[in-house]
Amino acid sequence: MARLHGEPALAGVDRKRISAVFHALRNLIRLMDLAAWLVSRQATSVGCSRRCRSAVQGAPTSHSRRYGEEAQRSNALREQASSRHLWLDATLGANRSDTRGIARICNDVMGPKTRSCVPHGVELCAGASRHRVRPWRLSLVTGAVLQAISPAAGAADSAESVASRSPASLARLSIEELSEIEISSVSKRPERLADAAASVYVITREDIRRCGATTLPEVLRLAPNLQVARSSSNGYAISARGFNDDNANKLLVMIDGRTVYTPLHSGVFWDVQDVFIGDIERIEVVSGPGGTLWGANAVNGVINVITLSAKDTVGTLAAAIAGSQERGLAARHGVALGDDGAVRVYAKSFRFDHHKRANGTDINDAWNREQAGFRADWGKASNWTLQGDIYQGDAQALSRPQRNTSGANLIARWSREYEDKSGLQFQAYFDTYKRRQEGFFTEDLDTIDIDAQHHFQLGSAHEIVWGGGMREQRDKTSAAASFAFSPAESKLTLANLFAQDTWTIQPRTKLTLGLKLEDNSYTGLEYQPNVRIAWKPDGQALLWAAVSRAVRTPSRLDRGLLVFAPPGAPSLLGGPDFKSERLTAYELGYRGQPRSDLSYSVSTFVHVYDRLRSVEPNGSGNFVLGNGVRARTEGIEAWGGYQVHEGWRVNAGLLLQHQSFSFAPDSQATGTASGNSNDPKHQFTLRSSWSLPRDMSLDLALRSVAALPSPAVPGYTTLDAQLAWPIRKNLELSFSGFNLLGRHAEFGAAPARAEYERSFALRLLWAL
């Protein structure tokens, strides 16, 4: 308890080393500010022949030549927009560092009274002047924020620079513009959301800002095609199209191209996955198989978290939250590096308190976490990215020993798009992570991944994407009193090669054929084909169908688990011959936009599973894990958005599904067949977003989830709300309420499970 109240004694973590990291970040920010000041001095010598001078959050603007380019871009945006606010906000969102054109256009088009519309730090003047940059001020303020971040603090970073955008005048996408979003998770190449032949939902940056969520799992509740259930303060069960569990193993999750996957159970440890929430550009959520492009474990869906380029986060943002269940601090600082580069650094820390059981007693699941990181982007013809994170945290885990986690990652990526509509990308990353529950379980995991891909057009009818990659994971575990993994150390390798062709049969009809070959250490070569056809009856509708195959390769749990039993009782062992679980999926979907203010998507699916995990007798009195369960899942996914009027939008989502399980003819298992799955038969979401007078905003989110069968959890309906108010143009205050309809449980067995009661939070965003 002492570790989670007041100043925590972080077991297994060198506090001096953590302090040194944050001290180094402060010094790095000062150096970045000094570099920005030197660049601004050089820009001053060139002179400013325009009527405007500007300095956005401590970073200098580009030369007058850049103004002409920005003006052309802004004029194009202006022609497409339907109102002054939308046009201005779209311009501000295009590139916050290119403010010379923005300031001039504000004067020319909207008149001299539009100073309040220009981002904080942009000054309008008549005649030439010099840049005015005060890097020392930014360093002092940002340094103070980082100094305040301690392991006892907690964090929230709803992330929008309120300096440039107010709640009511945000560059929020219209219903029509949402269909024009470019995504890459369906075909591994840029394509319009409206043209994607898959059940895909995009969580936008605006959605995230308005929902009030402070952790990645909570943000994922916005996707109507996901099942998100909280099992404790630091634990979540997240899946798509069923098979949800604390150790769900049929969903692939990526953060900026880095697969956050553990070979221990083929799933995700959500307590070690986090980002600076305000830097998320979008989250693409694909329900249905994605194995042809993304490989093993992309069985029921793919979550692809994509963060903003450092070029789009120039400036400083600080956030603080104080609530009945959580507290936290966060800060991010970015500077431009010349005309074609930028770098940002961030740090955040948060704390979640204990939850309670139904009888009112504490469940002892409090959670602290600290994380820092950076991202650098540069280049014009070719784009380079280098980014990384470092984190550590500690959490109480019900009746188990306290859990300490720590880790780091580093990603390097190069990409280039050519004039002939072809493109290349190479990426490599390293990920290391440690998990410590002394006396219970420990794990060390190191991952190295390298991949490359190439897309091009063959003639006028074929769009081809192909590539390959290799991954090596070294895993080390220690035995607990009740279980162990054998061998304690393992080396797993994965190599793959894929190709996919999208063939335009006629202008309105496209056929996609794809295949992935993947070799793994357990089962050798696996193949995952994919066939999709899409037909556009008109420019505002898409009808598509697909047949796909995907596999979940064995994990350490499937092959090497040892569960010890008292003398005379049977033990449970991993299956030495455990095979890959298989899925054959049949999908049919329709996406339409009958009016400019209305869009919707409906998908139906039938998933047929084979060789699912079962517990089989081995003939010696013990049990082993086998592949003796079959399953079938049928369902409907539907969602839509309606712009009631300019200041009010409504979004709704519905999921209906039915599952059935049976034993394979050769299975010797007894009892009732199950697939380690605990899913609701239906769930419904409804969100309403209002833009109010005085630039205030009000958001309501209703969520209704049916009962879970085993372990039994009652169905529940709950409501979240957020009211945001811009106190000044660079300062926003918001008040959030969660679970407003009363206490409820979401996952786990009674009476030990947590129940989530009403909670409230006050959040402050300050752009410097």
Side-chain angles (χ1 to χ4, degrees), residues 66-256:
R66 186 94 177 249
Y67 159 71
E69 299 173 355
E70 180 63 28
Q72 293 177 2
R73 293 168 58 197
S74 300
N75 287 336
L77 287 171
R78 179 188 175 189
E79 293 173 0
Q80 298 173 5
S82 59
S83 67
R84 285 185 172 182
H85 275 301
L86 179 59
W87 165 78
L88 177 63
D89 293 331
T91 306
L92 295 178
N95 190 335
R96 291 178 52 220
S97 63
D98 296 338
T99 57
R100 186 185 302 276
I102 295 171
R104 178 66 179 271
I105 293 168
C106 281
N107 268 351
D108 293 346
V109 178
M110 302 188 72
K113 295 182 180 181
T114 58
R115 291 174 181 257
S116 61
C117 296
V118 181
H120 175 65
V122 178
E123 300 180 39
L124 307 183
C125 68
S129 64
R130 59 183 178 85
H131 294 280
R132 183 171 61 184
V133 182
R134 297 184 179 129
W136 59 268
R137 178 185 172 203
L138 294 178
S139 295
L140 287 177
V141 176
T142 309
V145 172
L146 292 175
Q147 181 69 40
I149 296 177
S150 70
D157 43 43
S158 161
E160 191 70 44
S161 175
V162 291
S164 62
R165 307 169 83 181
S166 61
S169 61
L170 285 161
R172 63 176 303 164
L173 297 173
S174 68
I175 296 293
E176 285 183 300
E177 290 170 322
L178 282 171
S179 66
E180 299 296 320
I181 291 177
E182 279 198 346
I183 63 172
S184 59
S185 299
V186 175
S187 59
K188 242 185 181 181
R189 59 175 174 78
E191 65 177 333
R192 294 168 61 241
L193 174 61
D195 297 333
S199 179
V200 55
Y201 186 87
V202 177
I203 302 173
T204 68
R205 192 180 184 195
E206 168 71 352
D207 294 334
I208 297 171
R209 191 199 70 85
R210 299 187 71 138
C211 75
T214 60
T215 63
L216 186 56
E218 290 296 325
V219 170
L220 293 177
R221 291 190 190 271
L222 294 172
N225 53 342
L226 285 180
Q227 300 162 224
V228 179
R230 194 172 189 178
S231 57
S232 67
S233 177
N234 52 80
Y236 286 84
I238 301 177
S239 186
R241 295 186 176 177
F243 291 87
N244 206 12
D245 186 70
D246 280 324
N247 299 314
N249 56 20
K250 294 176 177 59
L251 183 68
L252 181 70
V253 182
M254 296 177 292
I255 300 177
D256 283 330

Side-chain angles (χ1 to χ4, degrees), residues 388-654:
D389 307 280
I390 182 172
Y391 61 86
Q392 71 86 31
D394 59 338
Q396 293 189 351
L398 305 182
S399 59
R400 300 170 184 171
Q402 178 165 298
R403 179 175 66 247
N404 303 108
T405 57
S406 62
N409 60 76
L410 183 66
I411 307 173
R413 181 169 51 251
W414 174 87
S415 64
R416 180 164 185 168
E417 295 293 322
Y418 298 92
E419 294 182 356
D420 60 356
K421 297 184 179 180
S422 66
L424 279 171
Q425 177 177 293
F426 295 91
Q427 177 180 279
Y429 69 79
F430 172 73
D431 193 319
T432 182
Y433 135 84
K434 300 180 186 298
R435 194 176 193 86
R436 295 283 184 272
Q437 286 182 274
E438 300 300 334
F440 180 71
F441 175 71
T442 66
E443 181 194 16
D444 295 351
L445 175 64
D446 292 335
T447 301
I448 297 177
D449 185 283
I450 301 173
D451 68 71
Q453 69 178 60
H454 176 215
H455 70 85
F456 63 96
Q457 286 193 329
L458 183 61
S460 60
H462 296 271
E463 298 174 273
I464 296 174
V465 57
W466 72 283
M470 294 191 66
R471 181 184 304 157
E472 179 180 290
Q473 294 181 300
R474 294 180 179 270
D475 184 54
K476 180 180 179 181
T477 63
S478 66
S482 58
F483 71 94
F485 290 91
S486 179
E489 299 184 30
S490 71
K491 174 185 173 182
L492 305 175
T493 58
L494 195 71
N496 72 83
L497 182 67
F498 73 90
Q500 181 165 285
D501 177 20
T502 301
W503 174 24
T504 303
I505 302 174
Q506 52 179 293
R508 293 186 177 184
T509 307
K510 292 186 178 183
L511 176 67
T512 299
L513 302 172
L515 176 66
K516 190 181 195 85
L517 301 176
E518 194 167 55
D519 184 81
N520 68 83
S521 300
Y522 287 127
T523 61
L525 186 65
E526 300 280 359
Y527 66 95
Q528 301 180 76
N530 171 49
V531 179
R532 293 178 183 270
I533 189 166
W535 174 57
K536 300 195 74 169
D538 56 56
Q540 305 300 322
L542 178 73
L543 178 66
W544 61 272
V547 179
S548 312
R549 184 181 188 270
V551 301
R552 182 190 72 83
T553 55
S555 64
R556 292 263 278 151
L557 185 149
D558 298 313
R559 285 289 185 102
L561 178 66
L562 300 174
V563 178
F564 308 124
S571 297
L572 176 62
L573 312 173
D577 300 319
F578 192 93
K579 303 173 184 178
S580 295
E581 298 180 343
R582 298 184 302 198
L583 164 67
T584 302
Y586 307 89
E587 301 174 271
L588 178 66
Y590 182 84
R591 183 182 297 113
Q593 187 183 331
R595 298 168 25 176
S596 62
D597 57 1
L598 175 66
S599 69
Y600 61 90
S601 173
V602 180
S603 304
T604 63
F605 61 90
V606 176
H607 284 194
V608 180
Y609 300 88
D610 187 25
R611 304 197 309 203
L612 297 180
R613 184 190 296 156
S614 63
V615 178
E616 307 278 344
N618 67 353
S620 64
N622 294 321
F623 292 90
V624 298
L625 296 179
N627 298 96
V629 172
R630 295 176 174 178
R632 179 185 176 97
T633 302
E634 304 163 345
I636 298 175
E637 298 167 330
W639 57 80
Y642 177 50
Q643 192 80 37
V644 182
H645 57 70
E646 184 179 359
W648 183 19
R649 179 184 294 178
V650 176
N651 294 85
L654 175 67

Side-chain angles (χ1 to χ4, degrees), residues 267-304:
V268 177
F269 284 126
W270 289 103
D271 60 337
V272 297
Q273 309 306 333
D274 199 11
V275 295
F276 191 96
I277 300 298
D279 287 342
I280 297 176
E281 179 181 355
R282 68 185 185 275
I283 302 176
E284 301 173 7
V285 180
V286 182
S287 46
T292 300
L293 295 178
W294 302 108
N297 301 96
V299 178
N300 281 2
V302 176
I303 297 174
N304 192 5

Side-chain angles (χ1 to χ4, degrees), residues 355-364 743 751-755:
H355 287 98
K356 296 183 181 297
R357 300 181 179 88
N359 61 10
T361 60
D362 284 343
I363 203 169
N364 296 328
R743 178 183 293 184
R753 67 183 175 219
E755 293 198 347

